[in-house]
Each structure stands twice: as C-alpha cells, then as structure tokens.
Amino acid sequence: MTSENRPSNAAAEGVRLQKVLSQAGVASRRAAEEMIVEGRIEVDGEVVMELGRRVDPATAVIHVDGDRVMVNDNLTHLLLNKPSGILCTMSDDKGRPCIGDYLRERQGKLFHVGRLDQDTEGLLLITNDGELANRLMHPSYKVRKTYLAEVIGPIPKDLGQKLREGVELEDGPVKVDRFKLVDTNQNRALVEVVLHEGRKRIVRRLLKHVGHPVQRLVRTRIGDVRLTTERPGAIRPLNRQEVGSLYRIVGM
C-alpha cells in the first residue's frame, strides 16, 4: 500500500464505517455492509469497498449514493418557523423579540442562514456549519426559495410571464424562477413566488413594483427543505434526507 492510500492514524483508530453509517440512520449494520461492498459509499471523495475501513466521524466526509450523510454529532441543522414580528437576529440591544430567544437553551454558537424581515414569516435555517451557510447564501449557487404572498389583486394573466422575463428595480434587474396564482378572493390573491435572489426584501419590493403590494409573506421552502406542520415558533432538527439535499445543491 502506498503512502497516498494508507489510512491515517485517525482513521485507523476510528470507528468502523458500517457502524458510523448505522448510527447516522442510513441503514442497519448488515445493510450498510452490503452498501459498502456494492461501492455505494464514498469517504473523503474515495469509493470504499472494504468492510474493515475505519473513519473519524468528526472529520470524515461521507456520501451515500452521491448524497452527503452527516456523521459529525457536533454539527447542528435546524428549521425554525419564524413568526411575524420577530427580528432575524440572535440578540437585540433594545430588548425586542428576536430569533435568539428561541435558541437560548441550545448549546454552541448557532447562526441563521440569511434573513427574513421582521414582518415576514416562515422557514429559517439555523446551523453551526459556516461553510454550508455561506454557500447557501452565495448567489453563485442559485439556491431556490419559495414564498407564499397574499397581495392586492386582481392578478393579470400576463403577470407570471412578466416576472419570469424580469423587471428593473432600483438596485438592478430581478426575475423569478416560477410564479403561480394559488387562490383569489375579491380584491386579494394568494401567489407563490420561487426565486434564487437574496437581496433585502426582494419579494416585497418586486411585487410592489408590479402593482401588487404584499399584505402577508411566508417563506415555505429552501431547496428541498420545506415547512410541513410546524407551528409558528416551532423548531425541529432537519432529517438526514434534508441535510443531504442542502449539501448536494451547494456541491459539498
């Protein structure tokens, strides 16, 4: 075995790969062994097919069928359903309600991925993985975010096409990835907007610009992670599939 292929001391003294996969909830140890033999597991970019491989869960980057599996217990990935009226900051020197109020009992340094303005509700990701957070926020990765907006109606038939083609705001052009009329009632309408923009208050500014001011705004989805039955203010850990999807869309 060459020095390039020889396992490091940390890996040699680590935990058997099938046990790490089992503890991460991927599969039972027996099923994990079959996955290893089938060549479905990568460790640090290398396909591993030997059952005796040991890894350090704190440092190993493991992919199963191309999707990253989180095996480092020190990393945290949470979903917060942010209520309206809550500041998107970990603390406020004026004592106003903020998302940090929901996280005080959780250990370690956590931070929010991007922002929602005070009056906007919905999905906010919380993590201590700085690299993941930076990539999710960087415009080059074009991470899609989905919003439900209650707006002043009625909605003209050509509005979706207009928004997909793009409009010019004061800080530059913007266009949506998708636009859908969900419901309409007299002079109000519920619309779904999908875009990968991250500029401040971009959905509100965009819809106001085209003549449909937002009355209520809820972010329902980031990438493949979505709100389900979480009540406002509720926090839950992301499941393995959700975490893997976030790493996948930013190439980690």
Side-chain angles (χ1 to χ4, degrees):
M1 180 181 292
T2 66
S3 59
E4 292 180 347
N5 296 326
R6 184 179 300 117
S8 66
N9 290 336
E13 299 173 359
V15 183
R16 286 187 179 273
L17 180 56
Q18 54 265 46
K19 181 178 180 180
V20 172
L21 293 170
S22 175
Q23 291 176 335
V26 174
S28 67
R29 290 197 195 185
R30 183 179 296 276
E33 289 175 352
E34 293 176 358
M35 296 168 76
I36 293 170
V37 172
E38 292 168 357
R40 298 168 57 188
I41 313 298
E42 290 184 16
V43 177
D44 297 332
E46 172 193 1
V47 175
V48 175
M49 300 181 69
E50 66 270 18
L51 296 179
R53 179 67 175 268
R54 292 178 178 269
V55 299
D56 180 357
T59 60
V61 176
I62 299 176
H63 289 79
V64 177
D65 295 332
D67 290 337
R68 184 162 175 182
V69 176
M70 193 48 53
V71 296
N72 185 349
D73 292 337
N74 295 322
L75 291 178
T76 298
H77 308 85
L78 304 172
L79 178 155
L80 166 65
N81 185 2
K82 175 190 165 308
S84 177
I86 304 298
L87 290 175
C88 203
T89 180
M90 289 300 182
S91 62
D92 181 68
D93 54 8
K94 296 181 180 179
R96 294 171 294 184
C98 63
I99 61 172
D101 298 336
Y102 296 86
L103 300 166
R104 301 209 186 284
E105 296 182 2
R106 296 182 179 269
Q107 297 180 349
K109 182 176 177 57
L110 297 171
F111 41 87
H112 46 88
V113 179
R115 292 179 177 274
L116 293 174
D117 65 65
Q118 186 172 0
D119 295 327
T120 298
E121 310 164 45
L123 195 162
L124 190 66
L125 297 176
I126 309 290
T127 186
N128 59 359
D129 188 334
E131 178 63 18
L132 174 64
N134 288 335
R135 293 195 184 198
L136 287 171
M137 290 185 288
H138 199 282
S140 66
Y141 292 98
K142 298 182 178 181
V143 177
R144 289 184 172 182
K145 305 163 187 75
T146 302
Y147 298 83
L148 281 178
E150 181 183 320
V151 301
I152 300 296
I155 303 298
K157 291 183 178 180
D158 64 346
L159 181 59
Q161 180 179 349
K162 180 178 181 179
L163 294 176
R164 287 189 294 270
E165 291 175 349
V167 299
E168 189 74 28
L169 299 182
E170 64 275 9
D171 56 351
V174 59
K175 60 182 178 179
V176 305
D177 297 301
R178 290 199 302 269
F179 177 86
K180 181 173 70 173
L181 176 62
V182 177
D183 194 16
T184 184
N185 182 16
Q186 296 181 344
N187 66 336
R188 295 290 179 99
L190 185 65
V191 299
E192 182 182 82
V193 179
V194 181
L195 74 174
H196 56 266
E197 281 275 4
R199 280 179 279 173
K200 187 175 181 180
R201 298 176 66 87
I202 190 65
V203 177
R204 292 182 182 274
R205 292 193 290 125
L206 173 63
L207 292 174
K208 182 179 180 180
H209 181 83
V210 295
H212 301 280
V214 171
Q215 307 301 296
R216 182 186 179 194
L217 186 62
V218 182
R219 184 161 68 191
T220 60
R221 182 169 175 171
I222 297 177
D224 291 331
V225 179
R226 65 181 71 196
L227 288 179
T228 54
T229 59
E230 297 84 12
R231 300 173 66 87
I235 298 176
R236 69 166 175 85
L238 300 187
N239 62 41
R240 182 173 67 83
Q241 290 75 19
E242 290 171 325
V243 173
S245 74
L246 292 177
Y247 281 100
R248 182 176 64 252
I249 60 177
V250 297
M252 293 178 67

